[in-house]
Amino acid sequence: MASAAEQLAANMNMGSFARATELHKRLLFTLLALLVYRIGTYVPVPGINSEAFLAFFQNPDSQRGILDMVNMFSGGAVERFAVFALNVMPYISASIIVQLLGAVYPPWEKLRKEGGESGRKQLNQYTRYLTVVLALFQSAGIAIGLNAQPGFVDSPGLFFIISTVTVLTGGTMFLMWLGEQVTARGVGNGISLIIFAGIVAVLPGTIARLFGLAQQGQISAFVLLLVAAMAIAVVVFIVFMERAQRRLLIQYPKRQEGNRMAGGERSFLPLKVNTAGVIPAIFASSLLMLPATVAQFTANANLPSWMSWLPIVTAQLTHGQPAFMVLYGLLIVFFCFFYTSITFNPEDTAENLRKYGGFLPGIRPGKRTAEYLDYVLTRLTVIGAAYITAVCLLPEVLISQMPSIGYFGGTSLLIVVSVTMDTVAQIQSHLLAHQYEGLIKKAKLRGRGRGTTAPARR
């Protein structure tokens, strides 16, 4: 028999959506916030020669390397060198550092585990402070590198460096605030939706460029069909893996309540194959972008002899290079295990099961249950890490063989599909909550009606 939530989900229709006024407000706020973000990606940084910068990106002979990925995530803001060119990547890098320190630094570990809501707010504040530091560092490196490049800056000098650092850092802080507002007052995770909007915004241009290359004869029709088939296959594979889960049977013992027996129920503990979600791909990309973006802009500048190694490192941090793909894959695997360990604690889950009388058949409650949960979760994480690594790296191999098709890798598809599924799930949860409220109101009205119409007894 279907549960109440499943019955409500089956009965959801456009009528129930039309009556969910609170959901309408959240959706409208989310759309307006993303519109503001898209407008900001077209506002150039003062003092930059936008035409020269755009020509650099449109030139097929330019060695852009990792900048193609940065430009994809920022919705084209990098090629226009807009105020949102850094996007939310400094915030993501800061989140990585804070979460890593939260697992190894005792005071922050205590805040994360025992601080509750106040501890979470304190760690979020540390993340904001660190975001400012990283944005200042990254924007300063970009500004100094551009200042040394002939033709990119209208009036090179100290004033350009200071103004560029201020504008880029302010843009990142505004996007961080905007993402937090979307999470609180909109639908979905605000930071993920900002990255999602940037990727989707450049998708039509990427498709049009592929068709243009096919018409010019630079790529064959077979290659075009191969890219389309691979994209469809990757999307289907992502949807399948994101919905895959291992369901562990949980048994509750029977107990005597008065003259009857209660309990003896069964339920399931669902463990997703990919517990970490899209976070490992975003974290790995962000860590690769942080040093590589600065190195890219300073590679052709007049560097001192002790920095002669920088162009070599920059050349290795480009798509298709073995060092890039190996480092990218290792970072994804690491963050899969790390983020899973943060989001799911086998010991806490086993303790909660024991507290409420639940147990896994054939497994003793307590420590043995925690060990079994850790055993199952570790093997699921291996599969999940292999899946994310394959999705992110296989398109990189294709791009390395055919660099003319541009960049739209598996990481972008993974983010788009995962964020779409998560946002749709949140919309459905808001609709379910609205329907529950409607049922409660109807039940109260029926109760009042019976109370007023029932004949009085003498």
Side-chain angles (χ1 to χ4, degrees):
M1 182 177 179
S3 64
E6 290 172 342
Q7 292 176 5
L8 284 174
N11 294 328
M12 282 195 302
N13 50 37
M14 292 304 296
S16 61
F17 177 79
R19 292 188 295 269
T21 55
E22 177 65 23
L23 178 59
H24 297 167
K25 295 178 182 178
R26 287 180 171 272
L27 288 173
L28 180 61
F29 182 84
T30 302
L31 292 176
L32 289 177
L34 295 180
L35 178 62
V36 170
Y37 162 66
R38 287 302 301 155
I39 293 174
T41 60
Y42 285 89
V43 180
V45 173
I48 195 72
N49 188 339
S50 301
E51 296 180 356
F53 207 81
L54 184 60
F56 167 77
F57 264 87
Q58 293 178 345
N59 184 4
D61 297 328
S62 299
Q63 298 296 321
R64 297 184 298 272
I66 196 99
L67 289 182
D68 280 332
M69 181 188 290
V70 183
N71 189 54
M72 171 69 72
F73 286 168
S74 65
V78 173
E79 68 181 10
R80 293 182 287 270
F81 204 67
V83 295
F84 292 158
L86 288 184
N87 208 1
V88 291
M89 293 308 165
Y91 175 76
I92 295 175
S93 300
S95 300
I96 298 170
I97 296 173
V98 170
Q99 290 186 14
L100 285 171
L101 290 178
V104 298
Y105 183 53
W108 287 13
E109 185 178 9
K110 186 177 180 180
L111 277 177
R112 182 173 64 86
K113 291 183 177 180
E114 304 174 8
E117 184 65 19
S118 61
R120 185 186 65 83
K121 290 182 178 179
Q122 188 67 36
L123 290 177
N124 286 342
Q125 195 64 24
Y126 292 153
T127 303
R128 296 187 187 102
Y129 294 150
L130 187 56
T131 300
V132 176
V133 174
L134 293 179
L136 286 172
F137 168 76
Q138 196 167 356
S139 58
I142 293 174
I144 294 172
L146 283 176
N147 191 67
Q149 296 286 341
F152 281 172
V153 181
D154 294 332
S155 300
L158 182 61
F159 179 76
F160 169 78
I161 295 176
I162 295 176
S163 62
T164 300
V165 170
T166 303
V167 170
L168 290 180
T169 303
T172 295
M173 299 309 297
F174 177 78
L175 285 183
M176 180 186 69
W177 174 83
L178 189 66
E180 292 177 349
Q181 295 302 308
V182 171
T183 302
R185 302 170 58 186
V187 177
N189 183 284
I191 300 298
S192 299
L193 281 173
I194 287 174
I195 300 175
F196 166 85
I199 296 173
V200 172
V202 299
L203 179 58
T206 302
I207 296 174
R209 183 171 65 250
L210 286 176
F211 279 102
L213 292 174
Q215 290 179 349
Q216 297 170 9
Q218 297 186 25
I219 60 174
S220 63
F222 173 76
V223 172
L224 190 63
L225 291 175
L226 178 63
V227 172
M230 186 185 70
I232 295 173
V234 168
V235 169
V236 173
F237 183 56
I238 291 172
V239 173
F240 174 78
M241 293 298 294
E242 290 298 321
R243 294 176 64 88
Q245 57 182 225
R246 169 78 183 275
R247 303 177 71 188
L248 298 180
L249 177 63
I250 299 176
Q251 181 74 43
Y252 291 93
K254 294 182 180 181
R255 61 184 183 274
Q256 187 77 25
E257 291 186 357
N259 296 326
R260 65 186 184 89
M261 295 293 293
E265 300 174 352
R266 290 185 175 184
S267 64
F268 292 94
L269 176 64
L271 297 178
K272 292 185 63 176
V273 172
N274 180 27
T275 306
V278 72
I279 296 298
I282 297 178
F283 278 11
S285 302
S286 178
L287 280 187
L288 282 177
M289 289 176 188
L290 181 61
T293 305
V294 179
Q296 185 74 40
F297 280 105
T298 58
N300 298 324
N302 296 323
L303 300 175
S305 58
W306 61 273
M307 292 187 65
S308 59
W309 53 269
L310 193 57
I312 301 176
V313 173
T314 303
Q316 293 300 317
L317 291 176
T318 55
H319 299 295
Q321 294 296 328
F324 172 83
M325 289 191 284
V326 169
L327 183 60
Y328 194 23
L330 290 177
L331 285 174
I332 289 174
V333 172
F334 168 75
F335 283 116
C336 279
F337 282 91
F338 173 74
Y339 200 76
T340 300
S341 66
I342 291 179
T343 56
F344 187 91
N345 190 325
E347 294 181 358
D348 291 344
T349 304
E351 180 61 24
N352 290 332
L353 286 176
R354 187 191 62 79
K355 185 184 301 183
Y356 292 102
F359 62 93
L360 301 175
I363 307 295
R364 294 182 62 181
K367 183 178 179 181
R368 293 297 300 272
T369 298
E371 291 175 351
Y372 180 74
L373 290 175
D374 183 69
Y375 172 84
V376 174
L377 190 64
T378 300
R379 278 146 185 79
L380 289 177
T381 305
V382 170
I383 300 174
Y387 138 69
I388 297 181
T389 305
V391 167
C392 293
L393 289 187
L394 286 179
E396 297 287 343
V397 176
L398 178 64
I399 293 171
S400 67
Q401 300 300 319
M402 293 174 289
S404 61
I405 67 176
Y407 181 80
F408 191 81
T411 306
S412 305
L413 287 176
L414 179 65
I415 294 173
V416 168
V417 176
S418 299
V419 173
T420 301
M421 294 175 64
D422 179 65
T423 305
V424 170
Q426 290 205 25
I427 291 175
Q428 289 179 342
S429 67
H430 282 292
L431 285 175
L432 287 173
H434 175 74
Q435 287 187 306
Y436 272 124
E437 292 176 359
L439 290 176
I440 293 173
K441 290 179 181 179
K442 288 181 180 179
K444 289 181 178 179
L445 290 175
R446 289 172 184 170
R448 291 175 184 174
R450 292 192 187 99
T452 56
T453 58
R457 295 184 177 179
R458 294 184 179 177

